[in-house]
Amino acid sequence: RLPDTIISYLSAVHVLAMYRQVLAETLARDARFGAYHDPVLALFPTIAMQNDLLQLLAGLWDRRLKALSSKALRSPEVLKKKFQDCILIVWPVAAGLADFPAYVEGHESLRM
């Protein structure tokens, strides 16, 4: 279930809308597996929780959209493939975040 209210950057609205569209299509096809069956959909919440990664993804998505022809922009399959490509480009950075210690506000020894 998606939240009723989402607070994010305005530049990320297109990315969030595409995620929601792909998630809805996936759940309509097979509600048993849903987002866990698709690694791109499973990774997106991790990216969305990190502001820097979400901005990086939004920038990639905007550049990919600008490179497409108007005919390709009307094709849901092409958009979905480009969205998946953008997520997979950001994936190594998101996977590397697990290696960093959690930041504790005011804790100087964890400050980088």
Side-chain angles (χ1 to χ4, degrees), residues 27-91:
L27 290 175
R29 252 182 310 164
D30 191 358
R32 288 180 297 156
F33 295 110
Y36 300 108
H37 183 68
D38 187 348
V40 170
L41 293 177
L43 181 61
F44 184 82
T46 303
I47 293 172
M49 293 298 291
Q50 299 291 327
N51 292 333
D52 294 338
L53 292 180
L54 187 58
Q55 284 185 331
L56 174 65
L57 180 61
L60 283 170
W61 180 241
D62 284 342
R63 276 186 253 140
R64 294 289 166 107
L65 287 180
K66 288 177 184 175
L68 292 176
S69 67
S70 60
K71 182 178 180 180
L73 285 171
R74 291 188 297 263
S75 172
E77 293 81 25
V78 171
L79 291 176
K80 182 178 179 181
K81 176 68 176 134
K82 293 294 182 184
F83 180 73
Q84 290 172 338
D85 291 346
C86 289
I87 295 285
L88 293 177
I89 289 171
V90 178
W91 169 73

Side-chain angles (χ1 to χ4, degrees), residues 3-20:
D4 295 331
T5 305
I6 298 174
I7 299 173
S8 183
Y9 298 103
L10 186 58
S11 62
V13 169
H14 298 292
V15 174
L16 294 168
M18 189 65 193
Y19 169 72
R20 187 176 177 136

